[in-house]
Each structure stands twice: as structure tokens, then as C-alpha cells.
Amino acid sequence: MPASEMISPSERYMAAKNRVADQGTDLTEFRETLAFALDDFQDTACRAVQAGRGVLVAAPTGAGKTIVGEFAVYLALKRGYKAFYTTPIKALSNQKFQELAAKYGAENVGLLTGDTSINSEAPVVVMTTEVLRNMLYADSHTLAGLAYVVMDEVHYLADRFRGAVWEEVIIHLPSEVAVISLSATVSNAEEFGAWLGTVRGDTAVVVSEHRPVPLWQHVMVRRDLVDLFAENVAFDEIAGSPESSTTNHGATGSSTPKINPELLKLARTESVSIGRGTSHGRRGGGGSRGRGYQNQGSAHEERGSQRGGQNQGGSQGWAKAASRPQVIRALDSQDLLPAITFIFSRAACDAAVQQCAAAGLWLTSPDEQAEIARRVDTACAELPDSDRDVLGFWGWRDGLLRGLAAHHAGMLPSFKEVVEDLFADGLVRAVFATETLALGINMPARTVILEKLEKYNGEAHVSITAGEYTQLTGRAGRRGIDVEGHAVVLWQPGTDPAAVGGLASKRTYPLNSSFRPTYNMSINLVAQFGRARTRDILESSFAQFQADRSVVDLARQVRSREESLAGYEKSMTCHLGDFNEYAKLRRELSDHESGASKSKAKQRRDAVVDSVASLRPGDLIMVPGGRNAGYAVVLDADSNARVPRPGILGTDREYRRLSLHDFAGPVEVLAQVRVPKGFNPKVPKDKRNLLAAVEAKLAEPSQQRPHRSAAFGYADSGSENEAIATLRRNLRAHPCHGCSEREDHARWSERWWKLRKETDGIVRAIQARTNTIARTFDRVIDLLASYGFVVADDAGNLRPSDDGQRLRRVYGEKDLLIALALRQGAFADLDAPELAAFVTSLVYQSKRDAEGTRPRMPSVSLEQAVEDVVVLWSRLQDAEESHKLPLTSEPELGLVWPMYKWAKGRSLQDSLHGTDLAAGDFVRWTKQVIDLLGQLSQVPSLPTEFAAVCRQAMDLVRRGVVAYSAVVD
């Protein structure tokens, strides 16, 4: 029953009173522009905005949070002020720009992203959050008249790479600006709201756990849809407490629903089959209660399970996941499309569309196909014919005609926009997407499918979190269209239903700050406020707010533990002497004995490190163990790294990097072969020729081979043995050694010592969390001072030098490295194509570690520029290590050649030839290159000729598919 039908008479009276009070107000007029009534949380938040308060709205995906931000936009236009609407990603900015322009008129709405500027002085401007941050530091005139800032997806401030930008904006916006923060449901909304209150003033915190469209949880076992929970429970009925969880046996807490016993039985059956080494697992199927979407075959399967899962009358096999076409067909037959299938791999998303097409899947009628063809051809009319093949246009178009599409960051932005539009209009019925689709894009579906509950995070395969599960499944259920939404997890061998239930039950997650002072942030703040006030400003960050709150609890723990320590000390008192002193001797003896063993192990490891660091290109070695076992030739030395990992080519023709774990002792060089200049481990012919030389060298008599082996000795341990003997004598001579209760006292002493160490650790944690942001800022400023980017004036106050003023206008992860390169003149001798190519090394980030030797550069001047910036980077990392600061990442050269070719006018296919770079990725990185070139063209105190070359480089790369993918009104 709707909440409106369950309110009490007093609540109806208050609602009527509010309606009377609202007559003639801006909120009432705004309501009249809507085709629906506001929910309670929307009404509460809008009232706060109308009253001039800041607002934090935390609500589930699809609940309608953005209506609060749109009310702020309405107020700005009505009252003659400005409103900025910020988003974390360009795609969401583009989408919101189009929505607001359609509603309020193109003349009233602008768009600003790193590479796009449309009507930037409009009263309403949609922008990425970084653009607003840059405006604040530049004191842009566009900020004049600003009254409202809407920060959509504000929970993005937890992002470890970009999250700090959100806090910078919140802290530095003028006090008269009202901030409307829109967040996914987080478990510490009150804490975040309290911080907003301290830095922004009066802030209303509005939290809603209600989903307007109920969400039902399922598991698909083969093609059967089985309810996850045993009873009819939708999203609002599942406990939202982070503490609620589901046990491994399906038992639940008082507020967590029970797991469907059919799924638990299937999991147990599979587990038993694995233990018996058989593959006769029971097929999953019926038993679902409530939603009625399962196939009618459970009775047969139940009889099969009663026979002990024996394979009678045909092979049943494992209850493995259905194929992708089978999943879509099953959902289509039950009227559960449109659907989004989340697959944590770009290639797998594209493959899913191909698999469904190959299976003859059509989800569209002839009339729909004609409409799709018309819209696709219109949208892509200006796409260069020469680029269509490399972009995969024809396969993409064929999938759309079938009602199928992929959606991921490797696609051309304009292709993604077409997919989003067709999906929103119901013409595309099945989308296979990576998780980036869940980050704010307004693209809801009736059903969301998760193929797996783990993903690759760049380092390892990890399980998704409850927060990620909530974000992904939150796309299910379209408000005003669907009566209910459905979340489906595909059954895989080894699936734990209780774990799935745990993810579905914990639908909130904490918002933790990722804020830290960067070089650009620090020097901008010093320029505006000076060092002392900047420290105070940084102390007001959410990161420090959370650290300070955690210190309160830690201090309480210290007080409690100190009381326990006093009791332990009393229990270990000995009448013969000072047992504390005796216990200290025992600990010292134990430490020396274990230290002697560790010392030998360390010496052995150091010998391995030294020997691996001494390897030179061309050294022929034998790797005794690990996955790299066998003969190998060294291609890349790594003598300067703390943990050297030289690159080698094994006899299996694979290039890889050595690990210290590959050696039990120092590595020995067996021989030397010559590695040809310009050798490329990606070229098969180069590898064959080098390995032929290796085989020839190995065939020579061993006494003729050159041999280089360092004399890695081990230190004499006599002094350590003497120390141990002395401690044993002192221990036996101590009065407490003869105590009859010695071991009892010793047990209390061990407890005291263990608790003392834990307590001291908490005290250190308190010290580390106190003023931690300010201490990091001090280290950043000290490093900048060592480079001369900040200097003291006559009064002793720090201010940016000329080099520092240039750093203030450079934004990016390599900001200081770019400023150092500008000072050194690394850009000076480059023409426009070379400059575009060189800039890629300062923005591009490969998805995997670069392999092989450094590629040859297209020109001598570009080779010199790269050499200069690599040397600068190496020295910068040394400085960062000494100042205990995060290290700047190494310049990456994987995009230099493609960008150089593109800037020289080559086709997209030619530019990408020989790389594994997707066309969409190339366009995305090119836009970042354009963004940085635009920044460099406006850096102060640089020659006007350099600015001209920057603009020329921008024009050279902003062409063809790059220019086509820009947003147009």
C-alpha cells in the first residue's frame, strides 16, 4: 500500500498546512512544471533549498535525487542567479546538458568539459567537477553571480584517483553559494552531512532508503530463474544495516531474509560431487516462491536429486551458467527485457553481442529495425567512411538492428550516446556493459544481470563489494514504466548463495575520503592564502574530519587498556626481584635468537638483489624455478630499482620480468650474447634471431663461456652468538630465575607486554592521524621549495616563484613533472605534431605494464624531449621518496607513435596499426591531450610562439573521428 494511504490524521493535517503555506512559493510553481508528485524526501530537500540551506540527499539509484538539483537550477533562473551542475564524468555532463537545454532552452544552458565549451557564460552551466575546481583556483569571472552548485554523484569523492577534487570544490566555494550534494545511499551520511555543516554552514541531511520501484533478487540456474530469498522480500524489506549479514548455512539475523533452500541444496550437492570427484551434479531449477518466473521442471529435478544425483537417463552435468543468448532468450520469454548485463571486460561485452548475433537472436520488429537504421545512419552521417572499419561500425550497427549493444569506455563516445538513446526509447533491448555504465548515466532497465561476482581491479581478481553490488543492481526498475525491477546473478559452479544474499542484504556502504594535498592544490592555496592559513584550510577537509572522529574512539581504547596494564603489572610482581627486568632479558634473548635466523635470510635476499641488479642486457642466465624457469637472455637492466625486475626473453619466446622469488641464491651469468640495436620483443623475427644466438652460445663448450659471478658472501655471525651467550648467563644469574612461581609471573608478563605493544600502537595511530593532512602539505611545500617553485619574500612569507606561477595553471596527475619540463625547455624544439605526441607521455596511462625496451621516437628532437622528461621524472621520484610523498608515475610512451601519425594526417587505421588500443580509447586520450595542450597554451610567462604551437597541435589532432565525437547542440 502506498505510504500516502497509510498516513495518520495528524499527518494529513500537517500536509494540508504545508500546502497552504506553499501557496505562491517557488516550490509550488516548480511542482506545476512536473508531471508527477514529489516524494517525501524530494519535498523535504527542495524545501531546504528554497530556504537557502545547503542539502545532502542520499538515496538509492533511480529514486529521483536529481529533481532536487533541478529545483536549484529552476530557482537560479527564476531569481536571476547562476547555477552550476557538476558531474564526475563527461558522458553524464553531456546527458544532463541535453536534458536541461531541452527543458530550459539552449540559450540558458551551457556545457564545459576538458575539451568542450558551449555557451559557457549561460546562467546554468553543466560541467565536470575538475572544471569547477580549475575555475576556483583561477578566480574565473564566470563565478560571478553564482548562487547554487549541484554536485551530482558526490560519493565520487571516495575515488582514490580523483576524489580529492570534490573536497577542494566544497571547501573553496564562496560561502554564499548553496551546495546541493546528491549521493548514493551511504551508511555514514550523517557524518558526511556533519562535515558539510562545518565547512559550508547550515546543511540539511535528507536520507531515503525507499526505492520507488521494488527490486527483486534472483539467481539464474541454467535457464531457470530462482528467487534468491525464501520469502517475498523486495529492496525496502531487506535490512540496510552494514552489520546485517547472512551466515554460510543460510541462517540469518532477525532482519535479514533467509536464503532460498533450493539454492542452498544445490550448492551442497555440488560441493559433495566435487568431494567425490564426480561431475553428476544436480541440475538447478524450481522451488522459487513468490515471483513465479522459474521454469516448470523442478519435480523431475527433485526426483533426480532423491536418487542421489546419479546420471540416469542421460547426462545432467553441472548446473553451469547459461550461454549469453540463452539468458537473453529466457528473459525475453518472461517479459523481463530490456536488460543490462554487467560483464567486467570490454572484450567480453563485444563478444557477447557477437555471440547473440551468431545465435540468430533478434529482439526487434521490422518497423523497429527501420527506425534504428534511420537513427544510426543520421547520427553517423558525418563519420568518415575511411574510419568505419577500424571503428567496428558495421558490426555495431548490425547488433543495434537486432536490439543488441555493448557499452564500455573503449567505444567511441558518440557510439555510446546512440546506444543510450536507443535503449532509453526501448529500441535496444539487451545491453552488455562494464561497470562504468553504473556511474551516473541515466540508463535504467527492467532487469540487471551480473555474470560474475568478481572483477579484475588492475592487480588481481577480487570480489565485488556490497556497495558495488548495490550500484550495479540499482539500475533495475524504470520509474513510471516498470511495476518492479529484477536483479539476476548467473549461477556458476561454486556459487555460494549465502554470499550472494549477503551482498544483496548490505545495500549501504561507508563514504571515506581520499583527499590528499597535491602540488597544484598546495601552490594555489599558498598563492591565495599563505602557508599558515592553508594549513588551517586543509585541516577542514573531510579526510581530517574523519581522522579526528576516529581519534576519539582510539583515545577511549587507550584509557581502557592502561587500566588493564596496571592489573597485569600487579599480578606479575615477584618477591625475589624486579620481574619486569627479568622479563625484558627473556624478550631480548628471544629477539636475538629469532634475529639471527632472520639476519641470515636477509643476507641471502640481499645477495639475490645485488646479483639481479648487476645483470646487463645480453646476459645469459638460468632461472631455476617459478613460472620463468629455464634459460633466458636479459633484455632490460633494472639496476636502479629498490627491487630490481630486469626484463628477459625466455626460450619459450615470451617477454617477462624477473622476480626475486625466481631465485633461491645469487644469479649466475653463464654467457653473453649481443642484443641487436632496435630489438623489439613484439616482433617474432627479432625474437627468433636472438634465441638462435642463445642456442648457439649454449652449444659452446662450457669452459669457453664467459662467466661473471659476484662474490656474494655472508657476514660472520660470531658477535651475534656471543650476545646470545651473554644474555643466557645474565638470565640464569637474575634473582627471579629461581622463583617457584616464575612461569606464572612470566605468563602475566607476556600478557602485559603484548597489551603494551598494542596500546603503544594505538597511541602511534593517534599521533599519525592528528594533523596528518597538514603534515603532508608541509612535505609537499618543502619539496616545492627545494625545486624553487616557492620562495620567501622579504617578510619571510612563502609565495610562488615564476616557475610556481606556471605550476598553478597545470592540472593533472603529473602536474609538477610538466612544470619541471617547461622550466627545462623540454618542449622548446618541438613542432606541432611532435608536441602532440610528446604530451601523450604526460597524460597516457596504459592498462597494463609496458613491455620491452623504450621504442624509438619519430624524430631526434622528440627523442631528446623524452630523454629529458624521463631524467626529470627519475630525479623527482628520488625527491618524493626522501620527502615521504606519493611517487609520480613514469611517463608512458605507448601513445607517442599513434598520436604522431594522427597529427601528421594519417588515417585512424594507420595511426592505430600495430597497437592494441581501441578506437574509443584513442579518442578519449586524444581529448585529454587536447585538454593539456589547451592548459599549456595559457601558462603565463612562456613565449608566444610556444602558445601558437600548442594551438596548432590542438587543431591537428581535433579532426576526423575526434572532432566528430564532440558534443553538439
Side-chain angles (χ1 to χ4, degrees), residues 346 456 458 844-849 892 921 924-925:
R346 297 179 184 182
Y456 186 70
Y844 177 61
Q845 292 177 336
S846 173
K847 292 178 68 69
R848 56 183 63 88
D849 291 337
E892 295 199 36
D921 283 329
R924 180 165 56 90
W925 287 116

Side-chain angles (χ1 to χ4, degrees), residues 28 68 280 282 314 376 503 546 558 565 617 667 714 722 734 799 825 897 949:
T28 299
V68 183
H280 304 312
R282 174 192 179 278
V376 169
L503 290 173
Q546 288 187 308
V558 169
L565 284 168
V667 62
Y714 300 105
E722 179 58 33
H734 197 281
R799 60 173 180 79
W897 270 102
V949 175

Side-chain angles (χ1 to χ4, degrees), residues 125-256:
V125 184
V126 183
M127 62 186 68
T128 50
T129 314
E130 281 86 352
V131 169
L132 179 52
R133 186 271 313 273
N134 299 352
M135 276 187 187
L136 290 168
Y137 285 153
D139 196 21
S140 170
H141 64 85
T142 306
L143 295 168
L146 181 64
Y148 302 96
V149 168
V150 181
M151 303 198 75
D152 203 354
E153 308 287 335
V154 73
H155 54 271
Y156 221 90
L157 67 78
D159 182 81
R160 65 191 182 103
F161 297 111
R162 298 171 55 214
V165 177
W166 275 253
E167 291 189 51
E168 289 180 76
V169 168
I170 290 170
I171 291 171
H172 300 308
L173 275 171
S175 58
E176 66 271 15
V177 176
V179 176
I180 293 85
S181 304
L182 310 179
S183 171
T185 308
V186 293
S187 54
N188 60 337
E190 294 295 338
E191 179 187 41
F192 185 49
W195 173 70
L196 286 171
T198 64
V199 295
R200 300 298 317 164
D202 186 17
T203 300
V205 179
V206 181
V207 179
S208 174
E209 296 280 352
H210 173 67
R211 270 185 59 99
V213 180
L215 177 64
W216 302 93
Q217 306 281 345
H218 311 283
V219 176
M220 181 171 276
V221 184
R222 289 197 172 179
R223 281 165 281 183
D224 299 340
L225 207 59
V226 183
D227 285 349
L228 173 60
F229 297 115
E231 301 170 353
N232 292 345
V233 285
F235 183 92
D236 287 357
E237 301 171 72
I238 299 173
S241 167
E243 289 78 18
S244 67
S245 61
T246 307
T247 69
N248 290 333
H249 304 291
T252 61
S254 59
S255 58
T256 306

Side-chain angles (χ1 to χ4, degrees), residues 582-602:
Y582 179 75
K584 184 179 178 182
L585 285 171
R586 286 174 63 131
R587 285 193 299 273
E588 287 181 0
L589 177 59
S590 176
D591 291 345
H592 274 273
E593 288 175 338
S594 63
S597 175
K598 290 178 182 178
S599 177
K600 291 179 180 177
K602 183 180 183 304

Side-chain angles (χ1 to χ4, degrees), residues 649 653 679-681 683-692:
L649 181 68
R653 299 187 180 181
F679 174 84
N680 188 340
V683 178
K685 183 179 179 181
D686 285 5
K687 291 194 287 187
R688 284 197 305 270
N689 292 341
L690 181 58
L691 290 176

Side-chain angles (χ1 to χ4, degrees), residues 328-351:
I328 300 303
R329 282 197 174 104
L331 294 176
D332 189 29
S333 68
Q334 297 175 31
D335 196 25
L336 293 181
L337 296 180
I340 299 171
T341 302
F342 283 108
I343 309 174
F344 302 114
S345 162
R346 297 179 184 182
C349 290
D350 294 332

Side-chain angles (χ1 to χ4, degrees), residues 3 32 55 65 99 194 214 236 277 329 335 382 388 469 481 513 564 599 695 761 836 853 900 915 952:
E32 293 172 356
V55 182
K65 298 183 289 291
E99 290 175 6
D236 287 357
R329 282 197 174 104
D335 196 25
E382 297 182 12
R388 296 198 176 202
Y469 183 92
I481 301 175
S513 172
S564 299
S599 177
E695 290 177 4
T853 57
Y900 182 77
T915 75
Q952 183 185 357

